[in-house]
Structure formats: structure tokens, C-alpha cells
Amino acid sequence: MTCSRRYGRTLRSRGLSVPLDHYVSQVHLKRFYAESLGNRKMHAYRKSDGQQFPCGSEDVCRIKDGSTNDFLGEPRLVEEFLKTIEPKYNAACAALAAGTFDQEHVYVITGFIAYVASCSPTAVRLGTRHLEALVHAEAAIMDQADLLPPSPPELGGASFSELLSDGRVVIETDRRFPHALGISNLLHLAAAFGNTYWEILLNDDASSPFFTSDFPVAIEANPQSLVVNRVIPLTPSLALRIHPRTHLSMSEPSLSFENLRYKVRNLGRQGVRLVNTAVVRSAENQVFASINSQWVSRFVAKHSRYRVEISNRYSPHGSGIIKTSSLEVRGSGGHSD
């Protein structure tokens, strides 16, 4: 198996070629290269230990054979999708910044966003927890309806729900399965992101650029909706805030993006700070910037204990249970934000 240079390097293992697939496209990461590093590397800041180091796009946000998924009829299907996105990323960003974008540019931007939101390690982690929560909910419904036999005597005759609750039975999800679900829904998710309300955010302050990360589809609480905003840095001077799809018709979104509404905002330093706060807090572990400064290190350290989590809630409803899930940025102390 071979891999094009654009999607990652190739490792040799036991005579086989194993691709290093990037879950954040290199074309995106290269936009955050630093002039001080000859525009060939960017500055990386690690949340877990506070380390800072220079790196190239080929060095980070990659997994061995990460785009291969045997749950799909075509295991490398996502690579075909990326071929329609990555070569046009720079042109789409330029068109968005200039206000001259068209349907194809929207498809490229939303395709990039959908890919990260569905296929990154953060997305797979959240998808895994969502599926495991569904099993718990189904078990509770089946127990309530006496559809499951009692457990064997050595387990005390406890119900399946009780066994799950106290940890005697553990649900283990193959992480490739939520990954496959994400790949299968890429076009639908791109259509959903492109048929809502956008704020195109411009930043002309080179001393305070937008950051990016290993999960550059940050979430931001929306006081008007239970659905979160998405905040996406596209370049150091361009970002996008996607508001929930609440004011539009509930018809199936399409890739013609006829329901897209937007406005352009030139952000001051406070607005940039809010975007970067969401970016750092939503990052899984690594933050990338086009500048190296003590204030950047302090900023990352200040927000390093946060990351994106999924919250599941259950409410009785008739003979069943209603399960609702939402994303939130949560600190390591257990407090949501």
C-alpha cells in the first residue's frame, strides 16, 4: 500500500508500506508556519506537559494507517473524499477572506471541517463514548421490559444494567466503528455546516494571530441554543464561527448551500482572544501557532486543563428512555465551561 506525499509519509514495516495518514490536513497546518522558522515549520505547544517545540506539518496530527477502515466496503474511501478538498483549500481560504467565495469554496471549507469533526482522535473518542452510552440506555430499557435473563449466580443474579453500572461488565467499542460512521456521514455533515449562519472572522494583527490545533473544530457554548457553536481557525488571519442551525427550515441540507447566511467581522484583540481560547481549550493535546512568544506559552498553559467531552442525559419517557447528548468544554476538575 502506498500513500501520496500530500497525505503523509510512508513507513516500512516487515516489507509492507504503512501510510502515516494525517487527521488534520497538512495543507491546513502549513498555513500556520512561522516566518521566524523560514516558513518551513510552526511552533507547537503541548498541553499535557507544557513543552514547546518547532515542527513541520508532516510531524504531527498523523496516525499509522489512520485513514484505513475495514468496516467500509472501500477501506481507503476517505482518501478519495480528501482529494476533492485538500488541493483547493488555499484557494477557498483566499476566496472566503476576500468575500468572493462560491459553492465550491463552501464545499471545500465544510468538507475540511467535517473531516476533522468526524475522523480525528477527538471525534473518535467522543463517538466511542456516545455509542457506549447508547448500549447503557438500551440495556436499561430491556431490563425494564424484562427482555433480558438474570445474570448467572456467580454474578449475584444482578441485572445487565446493574452489572454495567458497577463495572462488572464493561462495554468495549472498536474505535474503528465510530470512525467508519463518521466517514459515511462526511457529505451530510458538510451540507449541515454549510446551510447555517456563518461569521467570517478577520484578524489583521500579526502579533496576535489565530492558533490552530490537533482538533481545529473548536466548540463554543451558545447561550441561545443547546447546540454549540463551532469555531474553526483557517489561517492565522482568518477564522470561521458556525452558529447552530436553528433559524432555518428543517428540510434536508444540500451541497448547494442555498440556506447559507453570513456576515464578515473584523476582530479586535479581544475577539481574537475569545477564538483562541476556544481553540486551545478544545485541542486534544497540541496547539500550533505562527509565532513564538512567552504570552502564547502562558495562554496555552492557562487553558491546558480543558478539553472537549460529551455529556449524556437520560429521562424516562413512557416505557422507554430519552437520551440526549451534547458537547461541552470541561476542565480536569470536572467543571463544565
Side-chain angles (χ1 to χ4, degrees):
M1 182 182 293
T2 59
C3 173
S4 71
R5 182 179 179 184
R6 181 161 56 87
Y7 296 124
R9 294 177 174 176
T10 299
L11 295 182
R12 296 288 176 180
S13 175
R14 299 180 182 177
L16 299 176
S17 297
V18 181
L20 275 174
D21 296 313
H22 284 75
Y23 54 86
V24 178
S25 301
Q26 291 193 68
V27 68
H28 168 80
L29 295 172
K30 287 178 180 178
R31 297 303 302 264
F32 293 82
Y33 276 7
E35 183 178 351
S36 62
L37 296 173
N39 286 320
R40 300 186 66 179
K41 291 183 181 293
M42 57 193 169
H43 299 283
Y45 301 82
R46 199 156 52 213
K47 293 169 65 174
S48 57
D49 58 13
Q51 292 298 305
Q52 183 243 320
F53 54 93
C55 66
S57 64
E58 70 275 10
D59 301 322
V60 293
C61 301
R62 61 187 191 178
I63 298 175
K64 294 180 185 178
D65 215 15
S67 291
T68 303
N69 195 304
D70 293 331
F71 281 103
L72 301 172
E74 173 47 61
R76 300 284 291 177
L77 179 64
V78 72
E79 293 293 300
E80 297 305 311
F81 172 77
L82 290 174
K83 289 177 183 177
T84 70
I85 302 298
E86 294 184 336
K88 303 173 183 178
Y89 180 84
N90 289 331
C93 288
L96 201 68
T100 58
F101 58 92
D102 58 22
Q103 178 183 342
E104 183 178 46
H105 297 132
V106 175
Y107 168 75
V108 170
I109 296 298
T110 58
F112 165 73
I113 296 169
Y115 173 61
V116 174
S118 300
C119 300
S120 64
T122 301
V124 172
R125 172 174 61 81
L126 297 172
T128 298
R129 293 187 178 180
H130 174 67
L131 291 175
E132 291 174 351
L134 284 176
V135 174
H136 281 256
E138 290 290 339
I141 293 172
M142 294 178 75
D143 276 338
Q144 185 177 348
D146 293 325
L147 296 176
L148 295 174
S151 61
E154 53 264 39
L155 291 177
S159 68
F160 187 45
S161 296
E162 291 170 336
L163 295 174
L164 287 173
S165 179
D166 63 23
R168 283 179 286 173
V169 171
V170 177
I171 303 299
E172 292 186 357
T173 303
D174 187 330
R175 294 173 68 85
R176 291 282 180 173
F177 187 68
H179 181 251
L181 292 178
I183 294 173
S184 299
N185 285 292
L186 282 172
L187 291 178
H188 178 83
L189 190 57
F193 283 140
N195 282 281
T196 184
Y197 173 63
W198 288 9
E199 289 182 79
I200 300 171
L201 309 174
L202 305 180
N203 173 19
D204 61 4
D205 186 353
S207 67
S208 181
F210 294 128
F211 307 152
T212 192
S213 78
D214 53 5
F215 185 63
V217 183
I219 70 166
E220 175 186 75
N222 186 318
Q224 278 78 48
S225 173
L226 294 176
V227 184
V228 296
N229 293 340
R230 297 284 187 159
V231 181
I232 305 96
L234 299 172
T235 75
S237 59
L238 175 68
L240 185 65
R241 176 177 285 119
I242 300 178
H243 290 264
R245 189 172 183 264
T246 56
H247 67 292
L248 304 171
S249 69
M250 296 308 293
S251 59
E252 188 72 11
S254 74
L255 292 173
S256 61
F257 307 115
E258 65 272 12
N259 285 318
L260 175 63
R261 304 291 184 271
Y262 72 93
K263 71 175 179 181
V264 179
R265 294 183 58 195
N266 289 280
L267 295 187
R269 185 158 292 201
Q270 174 66 8
V272 173
R273 186 187 70 80
L274 291 175
V275 170
N276 282 336
T277 296
V279 170
V280 176
R281 290 188 174 193
S282 299
E284 191 75 1
N285 192 30
Q286 294 181 328
V287 176
F288 309 110
S290 58
I291 62 171
N292 179 25
S293 174
Q294 287 188 350
W295 78 261
V296 179
S297 297
R298 291 194 299 267
F299 189 90
V300 173
K302 177 181 178 181
H303 300 290
S304 62
R305 72 184 185 93
Y306 296 88
R307 73 171 184 174
V308 181
E309 300 287 359
I310 189 166
S311 177
N312 297 299
R313 299 174 178 83
Y314 307 90
S315 304
H317 182 74
S319 60
I321 295 174
I322 294 177
K323 174 184 174 293
T324 57
S325 299
S326 60
L327 295 177
E328 60 185 28
V329 173
R330 193 181 304 160
S332 58
H335 301 291
S336 61
D337 186 88

